[in-house]
Structure formats: structure tokens, C-alpha cells
Amino acid sequence: DTCDGLDSSVSRLIAMLSGQVTGGEKRLHLPTGTFQGTGSSQTWSQSGSQRPMELPYHDWSWHVHGYGISLRVDQAGWEFGASPVRAQRWPFDVDTFQVRVQTDRLVPAAFVQRCPHADGWSYVLDYSDDRNENDVPDELATIAAGFSNRNAYYVGNARLAKLNIQAAQICALASGTRLEGGACQWSCIDLPDVEDEDLPACDTCDGLD
């Protein structure tokens, strides 16, 4: 069980979004997420009950219905983004997933930022998916312990449990599409502080209360 010590529902949810979902098939209703500038008409999540995030979804860690944005950590190559069968519907390749919170700086030295981090936020997770590499570990226990490489990192459940998180957001980004000033095309939405009964099973999340 990799979530021991995570004492808030938002911490447990962040751990699950890192790929540590082990069952339950729960639906999370997120705010509407839109991208920037010329991408403002493109959404990757929508408020209401029609297009929720499902954790887990079949063999995937999670999936946003209606848009195909998904995470699957048990394979190499494609791990995050619009599912290959739906990628042609997108005007850009969403290849980066971030979770940012308001706390101390957390970026490990090994990680190379593909999409620069915004001021005022600390990033507990940044998965910048290289389609030709296995960026995110396949084993949930490895994710829970924390990991880092050039393309992805997660701070780990033990460090997450110690953070005093005032606010949290999840972000989908397209590193191959740049805005004025050089920032990646991006969309960030608030992460709700849900009750535990609204969350799926996470054998590694005990203690994230």
C-alpha cells in the first residue's frame, strides 16, 4: 500500500493522478479546462456530469471522457495525452501533465523542464511524455516512493504528506505548440478537495487523509 501517510483527500487524489490507482472506477467531475490564445476553443475537461475523469478506466490509470486525455503508466512509449485513436481530433499534441501546488519549490535536479513552471506554484508532478521512452515507472510502489528522470518526476507520497497544500491545480500542456513569450500551450484547472468516498481505490495511498 503506497499511500500510507497521506493525510488529506487532496494529497491522496494527487497520488492517484500520478498513476497509483488500483481499483474502484470512480468518476471525478472537474471544472472546464480550456487552453490559451488560439487554442482557447479547445477544452480537455468540462464541468457537469457528461464528461468526467474516470479513475481507473479499463487498463488506464485515468481517462477524461469525451476528449481522450489519459494516463497509462504500465507501458513504454505513449503514456500521457490524447489516446492515439483520438489524437487526430486535436490541433496540437498534449504531451505534458503537471500537478502544481502552493508550497516550497520541489523540482529535482535531474529533471529538465520542457514546459517552464509558472511563478507562485510548486510542482509535485511533471510528466513530459517522450513517445519513444518509458518516462513513468510501471510499478506503483516506485511511483509512490518518488522518482525523477530527464522527462518526468513525482515527489513521492512521503514528501507529499508533509506539504501544507493551500491550493492545487492539474494542467495539460502541449510542448510542441508555443505561445508568445515561449510558454507551452497550456490549460490548468483547480483540483477539488473531494471526500474519500468519492475517490477510487488506491492501495498505495494509506495515510493520505
Side-chain angles (χ1 to χ4, degrees):
D1 196 327
T2 61
C3 290
D4 289 350
L6 296 180
D7 297 327
S8 71
S9 56
V10 67
S11 295
R12 295 176 68 86
L13 180 54
I14 290 171
M16 293 177 195
L17 291 169
S18 76
Q20 300 175 63
V21 184
T22 54
E25 296 187 355
K26 299 294 185 177
R27 293 190 168 193
L28 180 65
H29 301 290
L30 300 170
T32 298
T34 59
F35 288 85
Q36 311 305 307
T38 58
S40 60
S41 62
Q42 181 67 52
T43 58
W44 69 283
S45 66
Q46 183 174 323
S47 61
S49 60
Q50 297 302 311
R51 295 179 174 178
M53 174 186 283
E54 190 158 347
L55 309 90
Y57 182 73
H58 299 303
D59 294 330
W60 300 8
S61 304
W62 52 260
H63 169 76
V64 180
H65 286 275
Y67 300 99
I69 296 295
S70 312
L71 176 71
R72 182 169 180 174
V73 300
D74 65 346
Q75 62 182 12
W78 187 99
E79 293 169 279
F80 170 76
S83 58
V85 296
R86 297 189 181 185
Q88 67 273 15
R89 302 181 185 180
W90 281 77
F92 38 73
D93 181 17
V94 179
D95 59 0
T96 299
F97 177 65
Q98 300 172 341
V99 179
R100 61 189 193 182
V101 301
Q102 293 178 337
T103 187
D104 297 331
R105 182 173 172 81
L106 302 167
V107 180
F111 179 73
V112 178
Q113 291 185 32
R114 182 185 298 175
C115 291
H117 293 174
D119 293 339
W121 292 93
S122 296
Y123 289 68
V124 298
L125 177 157
D126 191 329
Y127 292 173
S128 295
D129 192 22
D130 185 325
R131 307 305 196 201
N132 297 312
E133 296 187 15
N134 189 8
D135 306 303
V136 182
D138 299 343
E139 299 79 18
L140 302 191
T142 303
I143 298 175
F147 73 94
S148 65
N149 56 56
R150 283 181 55 85
N151 298 324
Y153 76 87
Y154 170 60
V155 298
N157 292 357
R159 192 166 187 183
L160 183 65
K162 296 177 181 178
L163 300 179
N164 180 19
I165 299 174
Q166 303 299 317
Q169 293 185 334
I170 58 176
C171 307
L173 305 93
S175 66
T177 302
R178 298 286 169 157
L179 304 172
E180 286 188 39
C184 296
Q185 177 60 270
W186 63 274
S187 176
C188 294
I189 56 178
D190 291 335
L191 192 61
D193 189 5
V194 296
E195 297 298 327
D196 284 344
E197 58 265 29
D198 295 328
L199 298 178
C202 175
D203 292 343
T204 58
C205 293
D206 285 353
L208 293 176
D209 299 326

